């Protein structure tokens, strides 16, 4: 019986090995390259808290899963932060909040002080049309850089124009044309503040 040719078998083995290497090289797992921390450049009062979040991005542009995320504060005497990203103001000053995963970091500054709380309502001083916008309008409230819409009490000075329901915080039901003043009051995280904005409803 004749022996199989050696050279074709060697060539086949080389091709198989190269194919395996090529496949392994092609299916490369994405690598975490950056972390973005939000909110950026925020402030809280002493004793108040602020929730931070971190978003990772891979080298291929996809969102990354942060499985080993840790949080730290550059000045724990000014602001502390938990393993879940919840910061708390301790004393007046500024601290850098940093999120780290696998050697990749992202950061944001946090200023702590006893300054006057600022509540902002959006949209501000708006005019809406019933025929164009429908009969509802969503308002949002921000207190010291944190969205507190869901924990804010909402009211309208003219309920014949707009009303609010506690089941849908910030969602105004537009009932007729006219003008009203929208008031939002929040006591989120121990910080009390209120704000107003005007609303005009047209046909």
């Amino acid at each position: 019986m004749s022996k199989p040719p050696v050279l074709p078998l060697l060539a086949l083995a080389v091709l198989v090995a190269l194919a395996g290497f090529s496949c392994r090289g092609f299916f490369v797992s994405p690598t975490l390259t950056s972390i973005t921390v939000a909110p950026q450049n925020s402030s809280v009062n002493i004793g108040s808290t602020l929730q931070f979040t971190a978003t990772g991005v891979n080298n291929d542009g996809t969102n990354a899963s942060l499985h080993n995320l840790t949080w730290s504060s550059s000045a724990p005497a000014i602001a502390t932060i938990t393993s879940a990203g919840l910061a708390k103001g301790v004393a007046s000053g500024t601290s850098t909040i940093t999120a780290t995963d696998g050697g990749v970091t992202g950061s944001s500054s946090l200023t702590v002080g006893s300054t006057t709380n600022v509540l902002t309502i959006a949209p501000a001083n708006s005019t809406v049309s019933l025929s164009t916008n429908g009969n509802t309008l969503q308002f949002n409230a921000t207190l010291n850089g944190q969205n507190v819409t869901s924990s804010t009490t909402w009211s309208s000075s003219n309920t014949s124009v707009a009303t609010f329901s506690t089941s849908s915080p910030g969602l105004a039901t537009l009932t007729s044309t006219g003008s009203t003043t929208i008031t939002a009051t929040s006591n989120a995280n121990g910080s009390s503040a209120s704000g107003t904005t005007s609303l005009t409803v047209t046909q």
Side-chain angles (χ1 to χ4, degrees), residues 37-44 50 52 71-75 78-79 81 87 93-99 106-112 144-145:
V37 176
Q40 282 286 309
N41 306 323
S42 52
S43 61
V44 294
L50 180 62
F52 282 90
W71 292 93
S72 62
S73 168
S74 65
I78 293 174
I81 190 162
T94 300
S95 176
T96 299
I97 302 300
T98 302
S107 62
S108 174
S109 65
L110 176 62
T111 301
V112 180
N144 297 334

Side-chain angles (χ1 to χ4, degrees), residues 20-21 68 97 111 154 169 171:
F21 175 79
N68 301 298
I97 302 300
T111 301
W154 298 87
L171 183 64

Side-chain angles (χ1 to χ4, degrees), residues 42 49 86 96 140 153 171 173 176:
S42 52
T49 59
L86 183 65
T96 299
N140 294 288
T153 301
L171 183 64
T173 299
S176 67

Side-chain angles (χ1 to χ4, degrees), residues 14 16 20 31-32 41 43 55 61 72 77 80 95 133 137 145 161-162 174 192:
V14 170
V16 171
T31 304
L32 175 66
N41 306 323
S43 61
T55 303
S72 62
T80 61
S95 176
N133 299 90
L137 178 63
V161 174
L174 312 179
S192 177

Side-chain angles (χ1 to χ4, degrees), residues 4-193:
V6 175
L7 288 179
L9 290 177
L10 287 175
L12 179 61
V14 170
L15 288 175
V16 171
L18 288 175
F21 175 79
S22 176
C23 289
R24 288 192 299 273
F26 183 76
F27 295 105
V28 178
S29 299
T31 304
L32 175 66
T33 56
S34 66
I35 295 176
T36 301
V37 176
Q40 282 286 309
N41 306 323
S42 52
S43 61
V44 294
N45 285 340
I46 296 173
S48 298
T49 59
L50 180 62
Q51 180 65 56
F52 282 90
T53 59
T55 303
V57 177
N58 291 317
N59 58 343
D60 60 359
T62 60
N63 288 337
S65 298
L66 303 177
H67 298 295
N68 301 298
L69 184 67
T70 59
W71 292 93
S72 62
S73 168
S74 65
I78 293 174
T80 61
I81 190 162
T82 68
S83 60
L86 183 65
K88 182 176 182 179
V90 178
S92 296
T94 300
S95 176
T96 299
I97 302 300
T98 302
T100 304
D101 192 318
V104 180
T105 63
S107 62
S108 174
S109 65
L110 176 62
T111 301
V112 180
S114 55
T115 57
T116 302
N117 295 315
V118 178
L119 187 143
T120 304
I121 301 174
N125 305 321
S126 54
T127 299
V128 296
S129 168
L130 288 172
S131 59
T132 303
N133 299 90
N135 64 346
T136 60
L137 178 63
Q138 179 66 54
F139 286 91
N140 294 288
T142 302
L143 177 60
N144 297 334
Q146 182 178 11
N147 190 318
V148 293
T149 302
S150 61
S151 58
T152 294
T153 301
W154 298 87
S155 64
S156 167
S157 64
N158 188 347
T159 55
S160 65
V161 174
T163 59
F164 289 92
S165 170
T166 55
S167 60
S168 301
L171 183 64
T173 299
L174 312 179
T175 53
S176 67
T177 59
S179 297
T180 183
T181 298
I182 305 301
T183 300
T185 303
S186 174
N187 293 295
N189 301 323
S191 300
S192 177

